[in-house]
Structure formats: structure tokens, C-alpha cells
């Protein structure tokens, strides 16, 4: 089972959109895919599910088993471990786990993935938050590969550099080689803006595989309709980019 994290230290770049889209793309290709909503905002969960009984926090605390928290979605072959974005009275939340327990359990997600693999999944995809603390480090420990999502703006460039520094520091401290970082998604590309071409050319001159996803209003409509872009239908360039991304991480 391949484990992939979608990450960057910057909000609003479309990590959840790309996480959902990649997971759906792989599932449509006949792969059994688990999307883990590891962002306390729970946006992946809100898109794919209307209701659920258990969430990621309960699994991390050991209150439920993995098979109890894995939920099928409306997409064949695509499953999710959901996150409840609302703190419920009497329930320990993901935010609480992050602040009080994550530093004590560096291999929690590696152990979780071992259990997931027993369920026959081909891919496990983590939708992460815009942070790089103990919780995210635990996800990186479990991951084979990380895909970074940015936009063609200066703020995303800063976020990319911060992430690279954090990842290098993590690997050095932990004495590990994984996760490998080879792929960048340049999201919401608008070729009429000159800065887009400048940033795109700069990334292509580096050592990364760059996947350019165009501005596509169908992403917003898909979210409103609680669908993936594949279910809703997107621009041909969008679907081609997602196919390329699936091939790169496959």
C-alpha cells in the first residue's frame, strides 16, 4: 500500500481539493483508496459524507478499531476516515489529540497504516492541515511520498520554502529518507497572468514533477453539490492534469 500526504504550510491553496481529486482519480482507475481527513476543519469529510458514526480522533485515542472508523463513500473503491470539525460534548476531538497526545506517539499513523493495509487498500492519502508540528511529523513518518500544492503567488512560494525547510529538518532529526518529495501541484493556473508563467517556468527548471491544474469553476460547484470534480465534470485540462498526477504518484 502506498501512503501519500498532500501538504504545505499555507492555507487556501487547495490541498483538500487536490486530496479529494487524487483519491477519486485513483479509485476510478480501480484502486482501493482510503482518504484520511487529518485536517481538523474536516472539509474532505464534509464533501464526501453526510453523516458518520466514528471519526479519526476516536481511532487515534484507541476508542474504536480501524474497521469501525473506515467509511465507504458514494464513489466505488473510495473510502474515508472522517474528522468531525465540531467539538462534541463528551468526545475527545482531533484538536485535543494534536495538542496533548501527538508528541507522545510518533508512530501512531504508521501503526494505523499497518492496520489499514490489512483491509486490502492500495493507496492511503492524507489530507493535512497547513501546519508542521508533531502531528504532521507523525503523518510524514507514515508516508512514502508527499505532494505539495501551491498557487502561482509569492505567498505560496514562501510556504513552499518553509515546507521544504521543515521537511529537511524532520528527515535529518529522524534519520529517515522518506517521505520523498518529487511532485508539486501548481493549482488554479491562469495563463493570462504573467507571474503564473514565471513561477511555472522556475518550478520546471528544478528537480520536481510539476502538475498544472487550471482555474476551473467546476471545483466550487462540485463542493457545493458534495461531489468530486470527476463526478461533477470539469475542464478537459483539469481531468488530464489529475490523470497525470495519478500516474506520477502511482
Amino acid at each position: 500500500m502506498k501512503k501519500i500526504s498532500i501538504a504545505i504550510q499555507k492555507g487556501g491553496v487547495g490541498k483538500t481539493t487536490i486530496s479529494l481529486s487524487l483519491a477519486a482519480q485513483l479509485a476510478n482507475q480501480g484502486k482501493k483508496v482510503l482518504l484520511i481527513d487529518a485536517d481538523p476543519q474536516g472539509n474532505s469529510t464534509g464533501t464526501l459524507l453526510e453523516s458518520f458514526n466514528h471519526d479519526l480522533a476516536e481511532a487515534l485515542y484507541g476508542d474504536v478499531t480501524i474497521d469501525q472508523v473506515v467509511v465507504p463513500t458514494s464513489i466505488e473503491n473510495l473510502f474515508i476516515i472522517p474528522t468531525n470539525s465540531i467539538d462534541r460534548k463528551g468526545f475527545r476531538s482531533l484538536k485535543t489529540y494534536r495538542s496533548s497526545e501527538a508528541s507522545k506517539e510518533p508512530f501512531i499513523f504508521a501503526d494505523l497504516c499497518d492496520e489499514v493495509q490489512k483491509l486490502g487498500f492500495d493507496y492511503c492519502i492524507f489530507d493535512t492541515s497547513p501546519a508542521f508540528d508533531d502531528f504532521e511529523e507523525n503523518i510524514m513518518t507514515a508516508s512514502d511520498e508527499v505532494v505539495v500544492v501551491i498557487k502561482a503567488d509569492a505567498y505560496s512560494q514562501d510556504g513552499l520554502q518553509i515546507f521544504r525547510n521543515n521537511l529537511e529538518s524532520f528527515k535529518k532529526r529522524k534519520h529517515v529518507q522518506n517521505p520523498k518529495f518529487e511532485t508539486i501541484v501548481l493549482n488554479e493556473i491562469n495563463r493570462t497572468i504573467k507571474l503564473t508563467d514565471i513561477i511555472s517556468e522556475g518550478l520546471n527548471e528544478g528537480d520536481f514533477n510539476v502538475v498544472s491544474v487550471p482555474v476551473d469553476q467546476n471545483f466550487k460547484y462540485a463542493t457545493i453539490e458534495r461531489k468530486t470534480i470527476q463526478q461533477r465534470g470539469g475542464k478537459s485540462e483539469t481531468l488530464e492534469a489529475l490523470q497525470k498526477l495519478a500516474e506520477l504518484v502511482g
Side-chain angles (χ1 to χ4, degrees):
M1 181 182 73
K2 188 164 187 182
K3 295 150 286 185
I4 305 163
S5 295
I6 312 298
I8 194 178
Q9 271 60 80
K10 173 76 172 64
V13 296
K15 287 191 304 296
T16 294
T17 297
I18 297 302
S19 299
L20 286 166
S21 300
L22 174 59
Q25 188 69 33
L26 291 168
N28 289 342
Q29 294 173 189
K31 304 299 183 181
K32 188 175 181 181
V33 183
L34 176 65
L35 177 62
I36 297 181
D37 192 348
D39 185 344
Q41 295 183 74
N43 291 331
S44 289
T45 300
T47 300
L48 292 176
L49 300 178
E50 292 186 8
S51 63
F52 51 91
N53 295 321
H54 303 291
D55 70 353
L56 176 60
E58 292 175 85
L60 296 177
Y61 276 113
D63 297 333
V64 296
T65 58
I66 296 302
D67 60 315
Q68 289 177 298
V69 79
V70 171
V71 183
T73 71
S74 62
I75 302 169
E76 186 177 2
N77 300 318
L78 179 57
F79 299 74
I80 186 171
I81 292 182
T83 279
N84 198 319
S85 59
I86 301 173
D87 288 343
R88 297 172 294 170
K89 186 176 181 180
F91 288 84
R92 293 179 288 189
S93 69
L94 191 61
K95 292 178 183 178
T96 302
Y97 179 87
R98 289 173 62 100
S99 62
S100 65
E101 304 298 326
S103 63
K104 307 172 189 176
E105 301 181 317
F107 299 104
I108 187 71
F109 282 107
D111 293 339
L112 183 151
C113 285
D114 286 343
E115 294 302 311
V116 167
Q117 187 164 2
K118 295 176 184 178
L119 300 177
F121 284 96
D122 299 303
Y123 290 89
C124 178
I125 296 174
F126 292 95
D127 180 15
T128 68
S129 72
F132 205 118
D133 53 20
D134 291 322
F135 186 79
E136 270 68 37
E137 287 198 359
N138 296 349
I139 293 174
M140 294 298 149
T141 297
S143 299
D144 301 309
E145 181 172 356
V146 60
V147 174
V148 166
V149 182
I150 65 172
K151 290 184 179 180
D153 58 43
Y155 298 113
S156 287
Q157 293 291 293
D158 291 342
L160 173 59
Q161 189 57 53
I162 291 169
F163 176 81
R164 292 182 69 179
N165 293 341
N166 286 336
L167 185 62
E168 289 172 7
S169 173
F170 162 77
K171 289 182 176 182
K172 185 176 181 179
R173 285 185 286 105
K174 301 294 184 179
H175 302 286
V176 295
Q177 298 299 315
N178 280 345
K180 65 179 182 180
F181 174 26
E182 298 177 346
T183 303
I184 293 175
V185 175
L186 192 52
N187 198 26
E188 296 186 14
I189 288 297
N190 183 347
R191 294 296 181 187
T192 64
I193 300 175
K194 187 176 181 180
L195 180 61
T196 297
D197 288 331
I198 294 173
I199 291 176
S200 181
E201 289 171 7
L203 292 174
N204 281 308
E205 290 174 359
D207 297 325
F208 298 105
N209 300 312
V210 180
V211 178
S212 297
V213 179
V215 173
D216 191 337
Q217 293 297 318
N218 289 293
F219 278 118
K220 294 181 180 179
Y221 292 123
T223 300
I224 294 170
E225 296 168 7
R226 303 171 69 92
K227 294 179 179 178
T228 66
I229 190 68
Q230 290 89 348
Q231 290 175 306
R232 212 275 171 183
K235 294 179 179 179
S236 59
E237 300 95 324
T238 301
L239 301 178
E240 289 169 4
L242 296 174
Q243 174 62 32
K244 177 181 177 182
L245 177 60
E247 292 172 355
L248 287 171
V249 302

